[in-house]
Amino acid sequence: MPKGPAQEILDRMEFLPWGQVDPVFTATVEAVEEAVLNSLVNNRDMIGREGHFSPALPHDEVRELLRSHGF
C-alpha cells in the first residue's frame, strides 16, 4: 500500500466545539469577500464566444465606491 499523507489511515476523529466555530465562519466569509472584491477590481475587457464583448468595470469608480463604503 502506498504511504503518504493521502494514504494514512485515521485512527481518531476530532471535532471543533460548537462554541469555537465562529472564527472558522468568519475566516470563510472574509476569504469569499476578498475573492469577490479582487474579481471586481482585477478584470479586463473580454471578447467571448461568438464575439460577445464584455467591458471591464471602470477600476477607479469601483475603487472609489468600495472606499466610500468602508472597504
Side-chain angles (χ1 to χ4, degrees):
M1 179 197 292
K3 299 225 183 229
Q7 298 298 322
E8 291 180 7
I9 297 172
L10 298 176
D11 59 355
R12 69 173 195 246
M13 291 178 58
E14 294 183 29
F15 296 90
L16 190 61
W18 187 250
Q20 295 177 5
V21 172
D22 284 351
V24 175
F25 287 136
T26 299
T28 302
V29 168
E30 289 175 359
V32 170
E33 180 181 87
E34 181 74 16
V36 170
L37 292 175
N38 284 339
S39 71
L40 288 174
V41 296
N42 187 20
N43 59 68
R44 299 185 178 116
D45 291 345
M46 292 176 40
I47 297 178
R49 185 175 178 202
E50 298 180 9
H52 292 275
F53 177 72
S54 293
L57 293 174
H59 295 160
D60 292 338
E61 291 178 37
V62 171
R63 286 187 193 104
E64 182 56 38
L65 185 62
L66 292 171
R67 218 176 277 119
S68 71
H69 284 83
F71 288 96

